[in-house]
Amino acid sequence: MPKSQVRRDQFGGLLKTLRLERRLTQEELAEAAGSSVRGIREMERGRVRSPQRRTVVLLADALRLAGADRDRFVALARVERQPHDRAAVPDDRAVVPDDRVAVPGDRAEVPHDRSPVPHDRPAVVVPGELPAAVPDLAGRAEILERLSALAADVSAERPDTASVVVLHGPPGIGKTSLAVAAGHRLSPAFAGGQLFVDLQGASPDGPVDPAEALAGLLRSLGVPDSRVPVSPAERGGLFRTLTRDRQLLVVLDNAASEAQVRPLLPAGRGCLALVTCRRPLTGLAGAVRLPLDLLAPAAGRLLLAAIVGADRIAAEPAAADQVVKLCGRLPLAVRIAGNRLASRPQWSVGWLVDLLHDQRRRLTVLTAGDLGVRSAFEVSYRQLDPMAARVFRRASLIPGTDFEPALVAAVTGTDEETAAAALEELVEAGVLLSMGDRYQFHDLVRLYAQERLDAEEPQACRTSAHDQMVGWLLRRTRQAGLMFEPVACRAESPFDDDRAAAYWLDRESGNWLAALRDAARRGRHADVVAVTRALHWYSDANSHRHSWDEIFSLGVAAARAAGSPRDEAVLLNFLGWARYFCRDRNTDGLDALSRALELARRIGDRREEAWALTYTAAIFIRIGRGGWAVDHCRRAVGLFREIGYALGEHSAASALGGALAALGRFAEAAELHRDVLAFYVQGNGLSPTGAAVARAGAMMSLGADLAGMGRWRSAADEYARARRVFNRCGATFSEAIAIHRYGLALQALGEVDAAAVALRAALALYAALCCPWWEAQTLSALAALAGSAPGRAADARLLRQRALDRCGELDAPEVRTLRATLRRELAES
């Protein structure tokens, strides 16, 4: 063995011995000496060819060496600084690679059976710097395959191949673990070696300077410290020269910015740079960007099982699923949860679930050793500018799962443009998810934001911000609802038309409904009444999209508390409609409507009396009391006519037509419904959406009349027309009924296949809207179709059983009738 190699090994061994004697870790020694952990590790292994005197002196100081011990330590290191090393890489020319390769590890850089490399041609070092891969990576198979395909293209030096891949995502998503695992998997394709640099982009001490990182990369490629250029530009040039003809994998972990990454990209067409960052680094031209998603539930279970043990997870599968859910499917959180369970064999998985359920303690529970979800978020938060930090904290007050910049502006007390810019900064920092023009917290990040809000802003500020948000939501919701009012005043509305208002109400429903509940709890009765009354006409076209029974119940309670009987009568009518029409709770609907009727008569409100009669008639039609329905409708038509309310009069006339049809008087009903349709064609002050929905409703009623007269083709045509209108208006439930009735008409016409297609389409819409009664009716119709086809008796039986199951959730006369029919058919099949 060459003399220099013996002494180098002696120096590395001595360094390690002295460190261990003083009970220092490599990290602690590096911090004390102002060095890097990698530098300490490479010196101890004998890989560093020429430790600088300054480094050796600092190490001696950190090890508290003095006298002869210090002299021996410095002397052993001095052997490295020989003339042939200093001249190894001339400043004005590149390193010329050859086939003398030193394999990383504990082997020497110069093979034992060869003579030293000539002074002007150093050995080509093949670095292998990847950290150990985690053994339990889960849920990343697809992205690993994508990386393998990209690496194959790069190693084959195919033209137009992307040589930079950016793995990006929020804190704790598993970027580093994936990059390291991918590096080990791809290493055979890169014979020139693998480099790994932690750029500390999310470090509290700031990111690594690119020039410093370049120096480390050059040392890893065999350039001695004494020959590393001083100028950052020269370092970059030498790095590009050394990598131009190599197949090299460079993992740049935890990058801060494009400017930090660009100088570190290798130049060879056979090289691949794998960059991890919380930001997508959109300024890196030609890079492939792969965003990392949360773990799928199944992958989360696999990760838990890999850490805790498959048997333990299999014993409590439901609890394991809850752990993954409460961890927000964030890999770091799931890993920490698994580590806690693994280190506490006496804990059940259910016990950990109970701990995680407490939101106030969840981030603390998700800490194990030096791993912590809170600390991962903390780094990003501390790098935010003051406005972005304020937006981050205040946005945690928003109750819904996602939000728009205008709402953030309201809760932060700033303008929308400033709020939007801050939200984009939060997305770039990886602590907020972008959903087009809306934003969303990860569940655990929201908890952290709430912690920061509680810690950094006084209670008075938090209360004021919350009240600003609730007030803004209530005002905007009322403005949106009023866009659907007949003859509404829209001059000062923030919405261009009722479609824009409906779009906002649909997307912001999680926030405005929470604000309405909050206002009800805090006794803001006038606000609750104003908002719930304003939403009535919007609810007509969106009957099954929101919980109207709850919304109008809040309005009734607020009106009663405010001492406003007229508002209470109005809202009781709305509530009765919501209960029978939206929830198929006919008895509860009649109860609310009887209270509305009694109250309206007591205060002399003939308009609300007429509405109560009209809605009650609709329920009577449903439960088979057609005669009572006719009587109620005629009284309602008379009342509306007396007060000159044409819109109410035609609504009651439409209900009267339905009552007559229920009694088999289809021709009379059809005449009424044609008159009603003509009225709605004129608009008569309704909003565009309201008028369209009313017209389509009249088409549906006319179609039912025609079907009753056996004119099935004409009925099918009316249903098809109505369906198209409902679809354009976004009235999904009404569209489903139109499709359902269209399918029944086709069935009557003997068009069995087309009928089945229509009924299945209606069933899908009903299921999405959670309408069990309508699902049961449609399943029964499909069963009848299947039962009439040869060889499909088993399908018919299954469909009837499903229909019976859906009937089991309801109790009404019409449901009991269908239930009895289905049981009889099942018994006979």
Side-chain angles (χ1 to χ4, degrees):
M1 181 178 295
K3 181 179 179 182
S4 63
Q5 181 64 37
V6 173
R7 294 190 177 178
R8 181 163 59 251
D9 287 347
Q10 288 176 349
F11 173 72
L14 178 60
L15 175 62
K16 184 174 182 179
T17 299
L18 291 169
R19 177 177 62 79
L20 293 175
E21 285 178 353
R22 285 151 179 79
R23 298 182 178 180
L24 295 173
T25 64
Q26 290 179 339
E27 290 79 5
E28 291 168 339
L29 179 58
E31 182 178 358
S35 183
S36 67
V37 176
R38 183 175 65 186
I40 301 295
R41 181 171 62 248
E42 299 300 286
M43 281 187 276
E44 289 186 352
R45 292 179 176 178
R47 294 180 182 173
V48 175
R49 298 179 56 135
S50 53
Q52 293 183 345
R53 175 176 177 77
R54 182 184 62 183
T55 301
V56 175
V57 170
L58 290 172
L59 284 170
D61 291 341
L63 292 167
R64 301 186 299 280
L65 297 176
D69 290 338
R70 185 184 184 94
D71 293 341
R72 178 169 177 258
F73 183 79
V74 173
L76 281 174
R78 188 180 302 122
V79 174
E80 300 303 312
R81 294 186 292 279
Q82 297 298 326
H84 71 271
D85 280 337
R86 290 194 296 271
V89 184
D91 289 346
D92 59 349
R93 60 177 174 167
V95 174
V96 181
D98 64 9
D99 61 350
R100 284 183 281 274
V101 174
V103 179
D106 294 329
R107 293 161 56 184
E109 294 177 359
V110 180
H112 296 181
D113 57 348
R114 299 193 182 188
S115 59
V117 180
H119 293 175
D120 61 342
R121 296 183 67 198
V124 176
V125 176
V126 181
E129 298 184 341
L130 293 174
V134 294
D136 44 27
L137 191 71
R140 301 302 189 199
E142 183 177 346
I143 201 164
L144 282 170
E145 290 299 324
R146 176 83 185 277
L147 289 170
S148 294
L150 289 169
D153 289 344
V154 170
S155 61
E157 298 188 23
R158 295 176 182 171
D160 301 323
T161 296
S163 58
V164 181
V165 177
V166 180
L167 299 173
H168 62 93
I173 201 68
K175 300 180 291 294
T176 298
S177 296
L178 176 59
V180 171
H184 283 286
R185 180 171 180 170
L186 306 179
S187 58
F190 297 94
Q194 306 88 44
L195 298 172
F196 182 91
V197 184
D198 182 0
L199 296 176
Q200 301 180 33
S203 169
D205 299 326
V208 172
D209 186 274
E212 180 184 343
L214 276 169
L217 288 169
L218 292 173
R219 284 192 291 266
S220 296
L221 292 173
V223 180
D225 284 348
S226 60
R227 307 310 298 166
V228 172
V230 174
S231 162
E234 291 178 353
R235 289 181 183 182
L238 180 56
F239 178 66
R240 289 189 293 275
T241 298
L242 291 175
T243 59
R244 182 163 291 119
D245 298 316
R246 301 182 68 151
Q247 288 186 313
L248 191 70
L249 175 66
V250 181
V251 178
L252 303 174
D253 187 42
N254 199 6
S257 66
E258 294 89 341
Q260 186 191 33
V261 168
R262 285 193 189 98
L264 312 180
L265 298 177
R269 288 179 56 188
C271 297
L272 175 65
L274 192 55
V275 185
T276 73
C277 187
R278 296 183 178 186
R279 307 170 186 265
L281 298 181
T282 53
L284 286 183
V288 173
R289 293 171 182 82
L290 300 178
L292 298 192
D293 294 327
L294 299 172
L295 291 174
R301 288 194 302 274
L302 286 175
L303 178 55
L304 272 184
I307 299 170
V308 178
D311 292 343
R312 195 168 167 191
I313 296 303
E316 299 179 79
D321 289 345
Q322 277 294 100
V323 168
V324 174
K325 181 179 179 181
L326 291 169
C327 288
R329 299 188 285 122
L330 189 70
L332 175 62
V334 175
R335 187 176 299 281
I336 292 171
N339 289 347
R340 296 211 70 179
L341 285 170
S343 64
R344 293 166 175 80
Q346 72 278 13
W347 278 15
S348 67
V349 182
W351 176 260
L352 180 59
V353 169
D354 291 340
L355 292 178
L356 291 172
H357 265 303
D358 185 348
Q359 291 191 1
R360 296 167 301 176
R361 299 180 54 199
R362 190 176 301 169
L363 294 181
T364 300
V365 172
L366 290 173
T367 303
D370 61 350
L371 287 179
V373 172
R374 182 186 284 111
S375 59
F377 301 152
E378 179 82 17
V379 172
S380 291
Y381 176 70
R382 293 305 175 194
Q383 294 176 342
L384 299 174
D385 68 41
M387 177 52 70
R390 176 187 176 94
V391 167
F392 178 75
R393 295 190 304 269
R394 294 281 185 93
S396 68
L397 290 169
I398 298 173
T401 56
D402 55 78
F403 41 85
E404 62 176 356
L407 178 54
V408 173
V411 77
T412 54
T414 186
D415 61 89
E416 189 172 343
E417 183 178 352
T418 301
L423 289 167
E424 284 301 313
E425 181 180 342
L426 295 175
V427 171
E428 284 288 304
V431 293
L432 203 62
L433 305 175
S434 175
M435 305 166 62
D437 58 347
R438 297 181 71 77
Y439 301 86
Q440 182 176 356
F441 277 117
H442 182 275
D443 290 346
L444 297 180
V445 178
R446 180 190 287 273
L447 292 178
Y448 176 73
Q450 290 170 345
E451 284 188 354
R452 299 320 317 151
L453 180 67
D454 292 343
E456 297 182 32
E457 299 199 30
Q459 180 64 54
C461 291
R462 302 199 301 269
T463 300
S464 175
H466 175 270
D467 290 348
Q468 286 174 202
M469 174 190 68
V470 170
W472 185 88
L473 281 167
L474 295 177
R475 286 192 302 275
R476 187 61 61 95
T477 304
R478 183 170 181 268
Q479 290 168 331
L482 289 175
M483 292 295 292
F484 296 85
E485 287 278 346
V487 199
C489 178
R490 304 180 178 100
E492 298 180 0
S493 175
F495 303 102
D496 293 334
D497 52 34
D498 56 1
R499 286 180 177 273
Y503 184 69
W504 185 89
L505 285 165
D506 289 348
R507 298 215 302 170
E508 214 67 51
S509 61
N511 292 315
W512 64 253
L513 181 53
L516 189 66
R517 291 168 180 153
D518 182 87
R521 283 193 302 270
R522 300 176 64 186
R524 297 175 63 168
H525 305 311
D527 288 334
V528 174
V529 169
V531 170
T532 52
R533 287 201 57 169
L535 289 170
H536 166 61
W537 289 98
Y538 164 73
S539 70
D540 270 356
N542 299 272
S543 56
H544 288 66
R545 193 163 294 163
H546 307 295
S547 53
W548 294 114
D549 51 343
E550 178 195 0
I551 292 168
F552 294 136
S553 289
L554 292 175
V556 169
R560 187 179 301 122
S564 176
R566 186 175 189 283
D567 287 323
E568 186 179 353
V570 170
L571 288 158
L572 279 169
N573 274 325
F574 297 169
L575 178 60
W577 167 85
R579 286 178 173 175
Y580 88 81
F581 190 77
C582 304
R583 291 291 180 262
D584 298 304
R585 290 161 48 194
N586 296 330
T587 302
D588 291 340
L590 286 172
D591 177 66
L593 293 170
S594 67
R595 290 157 54 201
L597 183 61
E598 179 185 356
L599 184 56
R601 285 172 173 168
R602 178 156 52 87
I603 63 176
D605 190 330
R606 289 186 292 171
R607 175 166 162 162
E608 293 312 312
E609 180 183 354
W611 279 121
L613 291 167
T614 303
Y615 289 137
T616 301
I619 298 179
F620 285 160
I621 295 169
R622 283 188 165 203
I623 62 178
R625 296 181 180 177
W628 291 16
V630 168
D631 177 65
H632 278 61
C633 287
R634 285 177 172 159
R635 289 159 57 195
V637 168
L639 284 170
F640 281 130
R641 189 171 293 154
E642 285 178 21
I643 61 176
Y645 186 35
L647 182 59
E649 180 183 344
H650 283 82
S651 296
S654 181
L656 176 58
L660 292 171
L663 295 174
R665 296 159 62 178
F666 299 112
E668 294 176 69
E671 185 178 352
L672 271 174
H673 287 139
R674 288 191 180 97
D675 289 342
V676 170
L677 179 57
F679 175 82
Y680 288 135
V681 166
Q682 300 302 317
N684 285 286
L686 287 170
S687 71
T689 299
V693 169
R695 288 196 304 272
M699 294 173 197
M700 291 286 290
S701 297
L702 181 57
D705 302 333
L706 294 168
M709 291 185 280
R711 297 170 57 184
W712 291 106
R713 179 61 63 191
S714 297
D717 291 344
E718 291 296 336
Y719 294 145
R721 288 172 59 202
R723 174 195 181 178
R724 291 190 292 271
V725 176
F726 286 137
N727 180 267
R728 288 197 300 270
C729 295
T732 308
F733 176 71
S734 297
E735 179 187 1
I737 293 180
I739 298 171
H740 182 180
R741 292 187 181 175
Y742 177 72
L744 295 178
L746 293 179
Q747 181 182 8
L749 290 166
E751 300 176 17
V752 176
D753 292 340
V757 170
L759 290 171
R760 282 194 291 269
L763 181 63
L765 292 179
Y766 288 143
L769 293 170
C770 192
C771 303
W773 166 234
W774 294 93
E775 286 181 69
Q777 294 177 81
T778 312
L779 286 164
S780 178
L782 284 167
L785 285 176
S788 63
R792 294 197 58 197
D795 291 342
R797 181 175 180 81
L798 179 60
L799 288 165
R800 289 189 178 103
Q801 187 58 60
R802 288 176 59 193
L804 188 60
D805 291 341
R806 301 308 282 153
C807 284
E809 301 178 15
L810 300 165
D811 185 24
E814 63 272 31
V815 180
R816 289 194 290 271
T817 299
L818 179 59
R819 185 186 294 117
T821 300
L822 290 167
R823 284 173 176 164
R824 185 184 68 254
E825 290 172 342
L826 284 168
E828 293 172 352
S829 62

